[in-house]
Amino acid sequence: ELAHELKNPLANVKGLAVLIGRDIEGRAAERLSVLQSEILRMEGVLEEFLTFSRPLSPLSQDEIDLKALCAAVVDLHEGIAHSRQVAVGLGEAAPVRLWCDERKVKQILINLVQNALEASPAGAAVEISVRAAPDGGARVEVLDRGSGLAPAVRGRLFRPGTTTKARGSGLGLAIARSLARQHGGELVLEDRPGGGCVATLTLPPRGEAQSEVTA
């Protein structure tokens, strides 16, 4: 209820900031740009709370090309990866087709790639691999060369509110795993040999539309 109450005035502030931006320049414009970026961040946090608090909507399934979806997620993050001096791309990527809710799987992958980019030092690389599973499903891995899983949160990564980010809501991974389990799949994070983290998303050939999913 609180998130809903905040969304409308925040949208008004966002709109006013856009209008003000048409009339100013110089240092004031730079400060307004910072304000606008903070508004977008607040909108993102509110949307995470809304997504987490509402019951999971039913799966809207279709047959998709999972490799193409992963490639689209890579393209979506090229800008932020460049700004952080981190490479992002597809690694081992076999053509895999399966039935799932494309929007929800994309949401999972976006969360994992964003986490990987934020964990990666300059000069490192984030990689997505896609493989077919023996049961006809799929296995997607998002690999980074960051600092790995922090000992302080290792046992509660998917617990709502758990985060190592100064500005994190601690809901992203909880939501991602709920969406994976809604499909009858799973999401696991482990340390990567040689340093970093590997997030593994497994999906069945067709989402099982679990009626009860816990984070």
Side-chain angles (χ1 to χ4, degrees), residues 48-93:
E48 281 191 330
F49 274 105
L50 286 171
T51 300
F52 183 75
S53 64
R54 68 168 68 100
L56 290 176
S57 60
L59 295 178
S60 177
Q61 298 188 79
D62 202 353
E63 186 178 26
I64 71 161
D65 181 337
L66 189 58
K67 178 181 177 181
L69 178 60
C70 290
V73 172
V74 167
D75 291 342
L76 187 64
H77 290 88
E78 283 185 343
I80 187 172
H82 179 74
S83 69
R84 300 181 69 92
Q85 301 178 48
V86 177
V88 60
L90 280 179
E92 179 185 351

Side-chain angles (χ1 to χ4, degrees), residues 86-149:
V86 177
V88 60
L90 280 179
E92 179 185 351
V96 178
R97 300 192 69 85
L98 76 164
W99 283 80
C100 66
D101 188 317
E102 182 174 7
R103 181 185 64 82
K104 292 187 176 186
V105 172
K106 186 176 183 179
Q107 183 178 348
I108 297 170
L109 294 175
I110 286 174
N111 180 276
L112 298 180
V113 171
Q114 288 178 347
N115 285 350
L117 288 172
E118 291 175 5
S120 299
V126 171
E127 182 180 292
I128 302 180
S129 73
V130 186
R131 294 195 298 273
D135 65 356
R139 178 185 178 95
V140 182
E141 293 181 339
V142 178
L143 306 101
D144 66 61
R145 286 298 184 189
S147 57
L149 302 179

Side-chain angles (χ1 to χ4, degrees), residues 8 104 163:
N8 288 336
K104 292 187 176 186
T163 182

Side-chain angles (χ1 to χ4, degrees), residues 21-42:
R22 298 174 181 174
D23 303 322
I24 61 174
E25 57 185 23
R27 183 63 175 163
E30 293 175 7
R31 289 170 174 162
L32 184 63
S33 177
V34 174
L35 172 64
Q36 289 173 319
S37 69
E38 289 298 282
I39 291 171
L40 290 174
R41 186 174 69 85
M42 290 170 68

